[in-house]
Amino acid sequence: MMDKLKLAVFELTDCGGCALNILFLYEKLFDLLEFYEITEFHMATSLSEGSHYDVALVTGTVSSQRDLALLKEARNHSDYLIALGTCATHGSVQASVEGSIREKLKRVYGDEGNPMRALDSKPVVEYVAVDFALPGCPYDKNEVYQVLIDIAKGIEPVKKDYPVCVECKLNEYECVLVKKGLPCLGPITYGGCNAACIRSGLGCIGCRGPLPGEVNPASEYEILKDLGYDDDYIIRKFKTFARWEP
Amino acid sequence: MRYIKLPSENFEKFFNSLKAWGSIYAPVKRGSIYSFQEVQRAEEVALDYNRTMLPPKKFFVRPRDEILRLKNGRWENGTDAEPIVLFGLHSCDIHGLKILDKVYLDEPVDPYYKARREKTFIVGISCMPDEYCFCKSLGTHFAMDGFDLFLHELPDGWLVRIGSVRGHEIVWENGELFEEVTDEDLKHFKEFEERRANAFQKEIPQEGLADMLDLAYNSPVWKEYAEICLACGNCNMVCPTCRCYEVCDKWISAYDAVRERRYDSCFMENHGLVAGGHNFRPTRLDRFRHRYYCKSYFDPSSGYNCVGCGRCDEFCPAKIEHVKVLEEVRGSLR
């Protein structure tokens, strides 16, 4: 039998949800273990024996020197690196905090400096080149399942090219933006969540970050303004999961 | 074409008799939208609905459709088609299906579409236009064919037009429910149609539309609208004539997979992307303009790819109006 691929999961600063979400595949995890052996995953094994990984999943933001060192280690020793979850792909809530970390540290620790060696929180993609980026807070666990089996079979995983609206319409959910005037970021947000929030009658909060390419945040901004939401509210909403300029 | 009358008191019996053909799907209200859903009882049906969010194409080209299944290393065909009744289609949607028929039933025939289409019994229903409708100006406000039965509202029942042999058979089997049409019924039918014709608030001047689009490719109006268009694809998803699909493979276990097709949208990046990395429509402007050319001009031999149902306007978050865009483009030529 062919040697199994070596899989590593590295966690930088985050809530832990994205790493845990892999274990939430439950019995489907065994499908992955047909092709992979886990050589590094602090939630699943005490092994830490890798010097080379075929596939590495990295979750979280780079928020400390420790994160940065770990990320470089992961990048240098893996063939295929996946930024997993919105922290890793867009920075998520941590990176949306305003103001620099230096000023904040000073307020708490005075001139004692920086005991945790903290950095301004930034996504993984700001520091290293990644082979695939899979956003979501958390990401849809079925997506990582598809991507890992694709890679094991030698198929380059396909990036989604559509916003949340497309999956929302496929499910024929009532449009909360057009029909209820809720502040829904569906038209400009990277799809793949199967419009989970709109299914519950809520507007999309943009947790998967902006869809790259020809989407139109400026028009979304105008639409929300016409619905009566103020500047500050809209900009904060835009920036909750991704530091982008509308 | 044969005309008969279905008195109001027999409506429910008639509705229930259709179950002999198959499960009945009809427009029902869900929140502030309507949707074709399976119904058991006549009273569940929203007879006076304006339009459903997804058009009836969803029964033939499904939003997500499993077409093949990889099992034990072999691909299996996944066609499934149950006999169903689509109850309460408006004329525009019947015309929409006729446009899809040209695409999916001409060689090469799409086997999934064909199997489902053949097993579907279609009952049309008359309607009153709202502020989004412009089917009259496209000639799609009245269906002469493409249905099995068509119900026209009368004060005391329904005038039924029979559009197919299958329609005749259903009527024959339930002969006791129907009556002959009287002169008074015809008068009411004509009155209804007149009232309806006068109720349209929007029209699309069809005259020279193809020529106009020929000349207007570089019109600044396209650019103005591309600035406010979100490129979200909502208009494509809800359009009764948009039929582009994407085919994707999905793993369901370590060794088994399904091949699924789902609605695609020409506003998405991969839609215009070809091997080698060239993209025919790289910008939002290209994609926005493309949609209008596809609807009104793309292939003049197949006629217009728009039936005036108003869905794209109703569900556009940016409130872009199809007719207004074309009128402004025309105006920019003057």
Side-chain angles (χ1 to χ4, degrees):
Chain A
M1 198 189 152
M2 208 181 68
D3 276 349
K4 289 190 177 175
L5 297 168
K6 293 189 190 314
L7 178 72
V9 180
F10 294 101
E11 204 181 329
L12 311 182
T13 299
D14 62 4
C15 70
C18 283
L20 196 58
N21 209 19
I22 297 166
L23 298 179
F24 286 167
L25 279 166
Y26 299 122
E27 71 278 6
K28 295 198 114 186
L29 200 53
F30 292 102
D31 291 343
L32 298 180
L33 296 177
E34 288 281 308
F35 311 107
Y36 293 95
E37 58 175 319
I38 297 175
T39 53
E40 169 79 50
F41 185 3
H42 75 110
M43 284 186 185
T45 175
S46 50
L47 286 180
S48 185
E49 55 180 24
S51 55
H52 167 261
Y53 313 104
D54 292 294
V55 179
L57 304 170
V58 183
T59 72
T61 58
V62 176
S63 299
S64 67
Q65 291 289 353
R66 171 254 174 203
D67 289 340
L68 189 54
L70 185 61
L71 175 61
K72 285 181 175 165
E73 174 88 3
R75 177 68 277 186
N76 287 339
H77 292 98
S78 51
D79 290 344
Y80 199 99
L81 187 132
I82 299 173
L84 187 61
T86 304
C87 283
T89 60
H90 294 88
S92 200
V93 179
Q94 308 172 55
S96 74
V97 172
E98 282 165 10
S100 87
I101 188 77
R102 291 211 163 273
E103 290 163 28
K104 293 193 188 76
L105 284 165
K106 199 166 173 153
R107 236 176 290 151
V108 178
Y109 299 101
D111 290 327
E112 288 304 302
N114 190 347
M116 281 90 64
R117 307 180 70 207
L119 299 170
D120 285 316
S121 291
K122 281 181 188 168
V124 162
V125 297
E126 292 259 336
Y127 286 101
V128 298
V130 301
D131 297 286
F132 198 80
L134 210 175
C137 187
Y139 58 90
D140 183 331
K141 62 189 176 186
N142 187 45
E143 274 191 290
V144 80
Y145 177 83
Q146 299 296 335
V147 166
L148 287 177
I149 298 188
D150 275 349
I151 294 169
K153 307 246 181 190
I155 301 163
E156 183 64 27
V158 180
K159 271 197 298 182
K160 298 203 161 57
D161 68 336
Y162 54 79
V164 170
C165 282
V166 166
E167 285 175 327
C168 188
K169 286 289 176 297
L170 293 179
N171 290 308
E172 210 174 0
Y173 297 144
E174 180 183 11
C175 179
V176 296
L177 179 59
V178 167
K179 291 295 175 190
K180 290 183 177 168
L182 294 183
C184 179
L185 298 188
I188 54 170
T189 300
Y190 193 86
C193 55
N194 210 10
C197 293
I198 299 92
R199 181 180 57 221
S200 308
L202 305 168
C204 168
I205 55 174
C207 84
R208 295 173 60 87
L211 177 72
E214 291 291 301
V215 286
N216 194 344
S219 176
E220 173 83 20
Y221 175 86
E222 293 299 329
I223 290 164
L224 296 182
K225 264 201 104 168
D226 280 351
L227 286 173
Y229 299 98
D230 66 50
D231 271 357
D232 199 42
Y233 177 84
I234 300 168
I235 289 173
R236 276 166 187 273
K237 198 151 189 75
F238 274 36
K239 287 185 170 179
T240 307
F241 292 93
R243 304 227 67 181
W244 65 343
E245 300 300 323
Chain B
M1 187 174 288
R2 192 174 163 213
Y3 290 56
I4 43 166
K5 184 180 178 183
L6 175 68
S8 295
E9 61 270 24
N10 290 346
F11 180 78
E12 205 174 326
K13 274 191 195 149
F14 162 71
F15 181 85
N16 288 328
S17 74
L18 294 171
K19 290 177 186 163
W21 179 274
S23 311
I24 303 178
Y25 292 81
V28 296
K29 193 156 180 126
R30 286 206 313 199
S32 57
I33 60 158
Y34 295 97
S35 165
F36 282 104
Q37 297 292 330
E38 188 172 356
V39 292
Q40 303 300 332
R41 287 166 297 125
E43 71 229 44
E44 292 172 55
V45 184
L47 292 171
D48 59 347
Y49 78 111
N50 47 13
R51 63 183 65 70
T52 54
M53 189 155 94
L54 287 187
K57 77 173 176 187
K58 74 174 184 179
F59 293 98
F60 310 105
V61 194
R62 295 179 184 158
R64 289 192 184 90
D65 200 357
E66 182 185 311
I67 51 175
L68 293 170
R69 189 170 267 266
L70 179 67
K71 228 174 176 177
N72 301 322
R74 292 163 57 101
W75 285 101
E76 291 172 2
N77 197 319
T79 330
D80 61 324
E82 296 293 318
I84 60 166
V85 176
L86 282 190
F87 188 92
L89 264 65
H90 288 164
S91 167
C92 58
D93 281 344
I94 290 171
H95 280 274
L97 287 179
K98 283 169 66 179
I99 290 171
L100 292 190
D101 284 352
K102 277 195 215 162
V103 178
Y104 281 99
L105 297 180
D106 265 4
E107 289 297 330
V109 174
D110 183 283
Y112 310 97
Y113 185 91
K114 184 163 185 268
R116 291 167 191 160
R117 194 76 167 93
E118 280 170 354
K119 288 193 172 173
T120 303
F121 189 88
I122 289 180
V123 182
I125 200 163
S126 59
C127 51
M128 272 293 166
D130 68 3
E131 69 269 31
Y132 296 108
C133 297
F134 56 97
C135 57
K136 187 171 159 243
S137 53
L138 290 170
T140 50
H141 61 307
F142 200 83
M144 291 302 286
D145 56 6
F147 56 86
D148 297 293
L149 296 173
F150 203 109
L151 310 182
H152 293 271
E153 193 182 329
L154 295 174
D156 57 345
W158 303 86
L159 183 133
V160 183
R161 287 188 295 140
I162 303 173
S164 72
V165 175
R166 302 190 306 194
H168 269 291
E169 285 167 1
I170 292 270
V171 168
W172 181 259
E173 282 158 24
N174 300 284
E176 74 284 359
L177 301 179
F178 299 95
E179 292 170 2
E180 287 306 314
V181 172
T182 64
D183 285 346
E184 198 186 355
D185 294 332
L186 283 176
K187 200 182 103 215
H188 286 136
F189 169 57
K190 278 180 195 153
E191 275 169 12
F192 182 94
E193 285 303 310
E194 237 165 76
R195 202 163 70 242
R196 179 167 175 257
N198 292 327
F200 285 92
Q201 301 164 35
K202 225 179 217 180
E203 59 173 331
I204 186 166
Q206 245 189 321
E207 187 98 6
L209 198 52
D211 294 332
M212 185 277 276
L213 287 172
D214 249 349
L215 297 168
Y217 191 79
N218 292 316
S219 164
V221 174
W222 299 123
K223 201 162 178 289
E224 283 164 32
Y225 274 101
E227 302 257 303
I228 61 164
C229 170
L230 289 155
C232 59
N234 275 319
C235 49
N236 299 123
M237 295 291 124
V238 300
C239 178
T241 67
C242 272
R243 61 268 191 161
C244 289
Y245 58 77
E246 171 81 331
V247 178
C248 343
D249 291 345
K250 264 175 37 183
W251 299 102
I252 49 172
S253 72
Y255 304 103
D256 298 334
V258 294
R259 178 159 295 174
E260 192 182 79
R261 65 181 183 188
R262 62 157 173 83
Y263 293 173
D264 200 1
S265 153
C266 49
F267 281 99
M268 302 308 140
E269 191 171 351
N270 292 354
H271 193 276
L273 188 67
V274 291
H278 177 68
N279 199 321
F280 282 103
R281 290 181 293 277
T283 67
R284 203 161 61 231
L285 169 64
D286 295 316
R287 296 171 198 171
F288 182 83
R289 180 169 51 199
H290 170 78
R291 184 176 142 81
Y292 283 82
Y293 278 73
C294 181
K295 289 300 151 204
S296 304
Y297 177 72
F298 196 55
D299 179 3
S301 70
S302 66
Y304 289 98
N305 275 326
C306 172
V307 294
C309 70
R311 285 185 178 89
C312 53
D313 290 7
E314 183 173 349
F315 294 102
C316 176
K319 297 191 170 70
I320 295 172
E321 296 174 44
H322 191 88
V323 172
K324 202 164 151 229
V325 172
L326 286 172
E327 277 308 275
E328 283 179 26
V329 168
R330 192 190 288 268
S332 71
L333 288 175
R334 291 198 181 106

